[in-house]
Amino acid sequence: MKLFILLALLGAFPAWSQVTDSTSQTPFPAKSNFRSGFLMEPGYAYVATLIPTMRSFFRDNHVKTESNLDKIIVAGFGYRLYRFKGMIHSFVGLDQRLLPPPEPAGSNLVARRQNLSGLDVHLGYDVANTRNKRVFINAGVGSIRYEYSLFRTTSQIVPFQTIFQYAPPASVPSLYLTSGYWDVHVEVSQREKRKDTFLWVSRIGYRRGFQPIAWQSEAYQLTDAPRDRISQFYLQLGIYFSRNRLDRRNQ
């Protein structure tokens, strides 16, 4: 958790720490006032995923797992009208082995996260509207899929052409949870200053499943499977590519 807080402070710095524009003239230039804007956003996020029932099952069975901190890439598209904004976001998890920290040594029974993906829709209002920043409170709903494969590592030598004849003991090729969720977050972005521009944006938020959902498998019909109400804390940093329009009377 200390690492997550540190990453939050560092990641949010570009957008949260915008200072007043420096100028040698007085008074300061007027605040830009674009009526609306189309937004496209690529982003990157750190996500602390909480699935306590499945994590407890892994601990009880001495299953080695990856970090609770997931890394995801995000793509978004939206529209702002005055101080209101709506956006659609999709996201997908990166393989945890691509970036540090390395996996801990231990049991040869492994739970590998195979998939993390989701789609959501948000509506927001600009609660703080300054000359250099916009601060939105956003809320929305979405759907997420979180998937594991479980296997036991071995030193067995297997010819590839006969690989389908071998099945490691205690293997579960598919174990997944699909859930709807609600989401609320605070967003800070630079204020648009030109008709076509790009802007730093950061978010700190929380999403939580609507209800506990039983884990499922594409390989087996599971009975009495553990149930989790998935939740995530996240820090996201991205860039808005924005095309803005003035009020007709100002054009």
Side-chain angles (χ1 to χ4, degrees):
M1 184 55 70
K2 291 182 179 179
L3 175 61
F4 182 75
I5 294 173
L6 177 60
L7 291 171
L9 293 174
L10 293 176
F13 178 79
W16 286 78
S17 63
Q18 298 297 315
V19 298
T20 303
D21 287 346
S22 61
T23 178
S24 59
Q25 300 177 350
T26 57
F28 290 122
K31 181 171 66 175
S32 60
N33 190 28
F34 288 96
R35 171 181 178 270
S36 61
F38 287 95
L39 306 169
M40 294 182 63
E41 178 198 2
Y44 178 81
Y46 285 94
V47 181
T49 302
L50 306 180
I51 40 175
T53 307
M54 185 54 68
R55 294 283 183 184
S56 177
F57 172 80
F58 290 155
R59 287 193 301 270
D60 293 345
N61 290 275
H62 308 289
V63 179
K64 182 175 68 174
T65 62
E66 297 168 318
S67 168
N68 291 4
L69 194 62
D70 294 297
K71 296 94 173 176
I72 66 175
I73 55 175
V74 183
F77 177 79
Y79 178 73
R80 179 188 60 80
L81 179 63
Y82 296 111
R83 301 180 70 169
F84 293 91
K85 179 170 63 67
M87 290 202 74
I88 298 175
H89 282 109
S90 63
F91 57 87
V92 62
L94 295 175
D95 191 321
Q96 296 211 22
R97 293 164 294 175
L98 293 176
L99 298 171
E103 298 173 11
S107 169
N108 64 348
L109 190 59
V110 176
R112 179 86 68 212
R113 198 207 73 208
Q114 296 294 100
N115 180 42
L116 164 56
S117 58
L119 179 71
D120 52 41
V121 179
H122 291 104
L123 295 176
Y125 180 74
D126 183 357
V127 297
N129 187 295
T130 71
R131 193 163 57 87
N132 294 316
K133 289 195 289 277
R134 291 183 181 271
V135 180
F136 287 90
I137 299 295
N138 300 319
V141 295
S143 178
I144 188 171
R145 179 183 173 100
Y146 206 91
E147 183 174 3
Y148 281 107
S149 67
L150 278 64
F151 59 93
R152 187 180 298 277
T153 59
T154 73
S155 57
Q156 183 179 8
I157 299 175
V158 176
F160 183 79
Q161 297 301 324
T162 61
I163 195 169
F164 292 116
Q165 300 176 21
Y166 297 85
S171 65
V172 183
S174 169
L175 189 63
Y176 70 89
L177 182 71
T178 302
S179 176
Y181 64 84
W182 56 263
D183 179 296
V184 62
H185 60 268
V186 178
E187 172 188 317
V188 179
S189 67
Q190 292 175 299
R191 188 180 188 87
E192 62 284 345
K193 297 296 181 68
R194 295 181 297 275
K195 180 177 179 181
D196 296 304
T197 187
F198 68 91
L199 318 162
W200 285 107
V201 57
S202 63
R203 297 184 182 90
I204 295 178
Y206 177 69
R207 60 175 66 105
R208 183 169 174 81
F210 292 127
Q211 60 185 359
I213 300 293
W215 286 82
Q216 303 176 62
S217 173
E218 292 181 332
Y220 308 107
Q221 297 295 319
L222 301 179
T223 60
D224 300 324
R227 303 171 69 87
D228 267 310
R229 186 175 181 180
I230 189 170
S231 58
Q232 294 181 321
F233 294 93
Y234 62 90
L235 164 72
Q236 183 178 326
L237 183 65
I239 299 176
Y240 276 151
F241 295 95
S242 178
R243 166 156 285 194
N244 308 294
R245 296 176 63 89
L246 291 165
D247 281 314
R248 291 183 176 88
R249 62 179 177 271
N250 296 326
Q251 292 181 346

